[in-house]
Amino acid sequence: MTRQDSNPAPPSGPAGTPRIGVIGDGQLARMMAPAAVELGIELHLLAGSADSSAAQVIPHTTLGDYTAPADVTAFAAGLDVITFDHEHVPAEVLDALTANGAEMHPGPEALIYAQDKLAMRRAVEQLGLPNPRWAEVRSVDELLSFGADAGWPVVLKTPRGGYDGKGVRMIDSSEQAADAQDWFARAAESGAGLLAEQKVPYTRELSAQVARSATGETVTYPVVESTQTHGVCDEVIAPAPHTSQDHLDLCERIARTIAEKLQVTGMLAVELFEISEDDADPEAGIIPGIYINELAMRPHNSGHWTMDGSITSQFEQHLRAVLGLPLGATEVKGGAGGYTVMKNLLGSAAAGERSLHGSFAAAMRRSQGSKIHLYGKEARPGRKIGHVNILTQTHSTQETWEARRARLQRVRRAAADVAEIIVEGPAQ
């Protein structure tokens, strides 16, 4: 394990400056840096590469392997708190940190429910919260039995390691079940089964975020609507514009219950499915309402809108929470009539052949209100390389729903245009 380069270590702050260590070197760690600077917090990073997204902007960077207990415990020595950019830290590393007395937020006893989808489903069931039908399956025969009972198609997931659509397989019929034999073979090597879930015909996807401090204080963010493209988050609208207040309240209660009962510290995102009356299928056991999809115990893509659209960004909130500081206000800027649209920048072949900054002038002319955030990543096709936030506000107290919807649609078009210009280049 080595420092990022041969230069002397960056100077530390004044005595008493909090020192937070982040394991994981992606864009989430990168976006913690501005909030840490503003609060005078000393952020330390364990990175796999000096060129990684977060290592580019965090001076206190140590190169090491997050799967190696020796590297991680050496990195954590002398730091006040350890937190995470992702959930994929092995159990033996978390055990080593615990044995060395490291303070972790979230702790291993909570993190397991974001690491292991089977553990998550069991916990959600024990808490009496709404799961889709699910089962642990260890063979094609068990998958066939579940499909016959729950109905096809079935969503098959690897319990660990999946994200952004990875580790997810759609089994459309009993005839396709045999195609999953290779997944079962790999799962058997680790002694685990796979997670089979009933595919629910959801009306829209929602995300509820809550912050829970090391002191136990909690605050919730407005529930948002998200749209996925090929398993990757594409667009987020905050707050969710089409959902009933009853469902919004239920989503917030679900997120708060999970945070409190599972003792989560830091940011928690609960991804949810909303099923309307029109999309329900009572005969298949699918009734209208809210169902839990997945959990993330860290800042989350569905919360990137908070960087520009909320009083307190999710990244500042996460740092406050893991240090046990009072939590910040979470209202959408602009009050009741305010919306923020977040549009992800997904890499393309065209983007990989040129500098994205060459498109900035045209993108900024398209929308002077756009806030562009790049992650310092190579623009491979389908890869998240940045995002754009655009706010829309009103001071009218008499605005009709039609006027509000038209205003929101204008901002969605602007965000999509800005993203296209940056990724594909200005129109010739």
Side-chain angles (χ1 to χ4, degrees), residues 85-100:
D85 166 271
H86 59 74
E87 298 96 347
H88 308 306
V89 180
E92 57 268 25
V93 171
L94 299 175
D95 290 343
L97 285 169
T98 300
N100 279 268

Side-chain angles (χ1 to χ4, degrees), residues 51-90:
D51 297 325
S52 65
S53 177
Q56 295 171 26
V57 301
I58 298 177
H60 294 277
T61 290
T62 300
L63 298 185
D65 181 358
Y66 73 86
T67 69
D71 281 8
V72 177
T73 53
F75 165 73
L79 300 180
D80 297 307
V81 178
I82 299 297
T83 192
F84 307 93
D85 166 271
H86 59 74
E87 298 96 347
H88 308 306
V89 180

Side-chain angles (χ1 to χ4, degrees), residues 282-303:
E283 291 186 3
I286 301 170
I287 61 175
I290 300 294
Y291 293 82
I292 294 170
N293 181 18
E294 294 185 355
L295 308 180
M297 295 181 189
R298 49 172 170 76
H300 189 255
N301 199 166
S302 67

Side-chain angles (χ1 to χ4, degrees), residues 234-239 241 305 308-309 332-333 337-344 363 366-371 387-394 399 402-421:
D234 184 15
E235 181 194 60
V236 170
I237 303 173
W305 69 273
D308 304 296
V332 178
K333 291 180 180 177
Y339 284 110
T340 302
V341 174
M342 190 284 297
K343 181 74 172 176
N344 266 335
R366 171 61 183 89
S367 173
Q368 291 181 326
S370 60
K371 302 291 287 185
H387 69 272
V388 175
N389 286 333
I390 303 182
L391 285 67
T392 174
Q393 301 171 323
T394 182
E399 187 180 39
E402 287 301 321
R404 177 179 291 189
R405 183 169 62 180
R407 178 164 54 87
L408 177 58
Q409 288 302 104
R410 288 194 297 272
V411 173
R412 293 180 67 193
R413 284 195 297 271
D417 289 348
V418 170
E420 182 176 12
I421 291 169

